[in-house]
Amino acid sequence: MSVVRIHDPRFARLMIGHANLEKLWTGGRWLEGPAYFPAGRYLVFSDIPNDRLLRFDEMSGQVSVFWPGCGFHNGHARDQQGRLVCCEHLARVVSRIEHDGSRRVLASHWQGKRFNSPNDVIVAPDGAIWFSDPTYGIDGDYEGEKAESEIGASNVYRLDPETGAVEAVVTDRVKPNGLALAPGGQFLVVADTGRTHRPELDATLTRYRLDAEGRPIQPGETFATLADGFFDGFRFDAEGNLWSSAGRFVHCHGPDGALGLTIEIGEIVGNLCFGGAKGNRLFICAQTSLYSLFVNARGAT
Ligand code: MG
């Protein structure tokens, strides 16, 4: 498979030799926010500039508009109850679609100030919702609505969905973006796309050890850097390998950060997630198109 390059021979086993990168759909402007729902065998994803949510039905192979005019959603996560947790650029909130279909805003402010534009979100094993809040949804009108930042910084927050309490847990990034907790819960990794605003910066993934209360210890340590493009959204597999968007590629890094393999997608990758009946199908949101690749790894749960 010519699109795959193995950088470390130990990672070759993660690829299936005769599995092809599949282009499932095209026609978006900037795809993001994939979340897979095993109960219905479908993937929800965002087409941010077109202000819509799309759904890929794994059984029929069809993509349909799930929610037109959703309010410029970006990242999504599925919580333990199978509900969709949403980052909304336009309303500048984190919300959740309840089992009855209604939308509930979970968090809109920190210390009395509106969020910038929640970007990516995860649900921790304890049910807490962690999300990044860079300014991309308020920098202009393409992916939301232009506005000034009230907070004046771009942080990662932890939201307690029971109490609604919001705490800033990572405050040392320029534009925190994708995020994930390593399986086992000892580390948080955060992508920083701050180079969009400060060209002198590296595109990085930063790893934070968690303290006894499960909060990140700052400063973190650099886990990986990227010369060309950005790390945006990413996920861990069950063995602790990190699969990340990386410019026009997907990179797979080992638990120590070493680059194991790269998969050329050919469009700028915004985000990815594992799905499929066995959690071994990588769904890749890349600029205008949705791709998938079966791999010899399962997504961390
Ligand atoms: Mg993102």
Side-chain angles (χ1 to χ4, degrees):
M1 203 164 52
S2 62
V3 297
V4 175
R5 228 184 112 204
I6 307 292
H7 295 254
D8 178 330
R10 291 172 300 170
F11 287 72
R13 66 183 176 80
L14 297 176
M15 290 291 103
I16 301 167
H18 51 279
N20 284 326
L21 181 69
E22 301 170 50
K23 190 177 202 170
L24 301 176
W25 180 82
T26 192
R29 284 204 164 91
W30 178 243
L31 303 187
E32 251 285 4
Y36 184 81
F37 290 79
R41 300 289 299 274
Y42 61 83
L43 179 88
V44 170
F45 58 104
S46 307
D47 180 7
I48 305 175
N50 284 322
D51 190 16
R52 58 182 180 171
L53 278 196
L54 299 165
R55 178 173 50 200
F56 169 71
D57 181 325
E58 200 177 10
M59 298 293 96
S60 69
Q62 300 297 306
V63 168
S64 56
V65 177
F66 165 55
W67 189 356
C70 57
F72 296 87
H73 283 207
N74 191 332
H76 294 103
R78 186 192 74 243
D79 74 6
Q80 282 94 344
Q81 287 76 46
R83 295 170 295 192
L84 180 66
V85 179
C86 313
C87 290
E88 301 188 26
H89 274 186
L90 188 64
R92 299 164 64 175
V93 302
V94 173
S95 63
R96 187 173 66 205
I97 307 304
E98 306 291 14
H99 288 128
D100 66 2
S102 62
R103 166 184 173 270
R104 182 174 159 204
V105 173
L106 301 178
S108 57
H109 292 72
W110 176 64
Q111 295 187 341
K113 295 170 180 165
R114 293 183 76 189
F115 295 125
N116 299 319
S117 49
N119 185 293
D120 212 345
V121 61
I122 56 173
V123 180
D126 66 357
I129 294 169
W130 298 53
F131 62 98
S132 60
D133 185 43
T135 54
Y136 299 112
I138 58 171
D139 285 339
D141 292 324
Y142 188 58
E143 296 187 60
E145 201 163 79
K146 189 170 172 55
E148 287 298 313
S149 171
E150 294 185 14
I151 292 171
S154 296
N155 300 321
V156 172
Y157 299 94
R158 179 187 184 277
L159 161 66
D160 183 324
E162 300 301 322
T163 65
V166 176
E167 52 183 308
V169 287
V170 174
T171 55
D172 66 351
R173 295 294 94 209
V174 177
K175 299 291 174 193
N177 203 311
L179 71 169
L181 287 162
Q186 288 177 315
F187 296 101
L188 173 77
V189 178
V190 178
D192 192 341
T193 52
R195 197 160 68 194
T196 52
H197 290 62
R198 288 174 50 188
E200 76 280 10
L201 296 176
D202 284 332
T204 56
L205 295 172
T206 301
R207 182 168 74 168
Y208 299 87
R209 189 175 289 277
L210 303 184
D211 66 18
E213 275 73 53
R215 303 298 188 271
I217 299 168
Q218 299 188 80
E221 56 181 2
T222 301
F223 182 75
T225 58
L226 187 65
D228 193 16
F230 297 95
F231 295 119
D232 194 333
F234 58 91
R235 295 289 192 282
F236 279 101
D237 69 23
E239 297 175 37
N241 299 308
L242 186 156
W243 300 72
S244 182
S245 57
R248 293 174 177 270
F249 293 80
V250 169
H251 283 189
C252 179
H253 294 264
D256 61 354
L259 180 62
L261 63 87
T262 60
I263 307 164
E264 185 174 4
I265 308 300
E267 297 187 75
I268 300 169
V269 180
N271 211 333
L272 51 77
C273 75
F274 287 92
K278 294 183 176 175
N280 63 343
R281 189 177 193 182
L282 207 52
F283 288 100
I284 301 156
C285 289
Q287 219 162 344
T288 65
S289 308
L290 177 68
Y291 298 84
S292 85
L293 180 65
F294 282 93
V295 294
N296 245 337
R298 289 185 177 201
T301 51

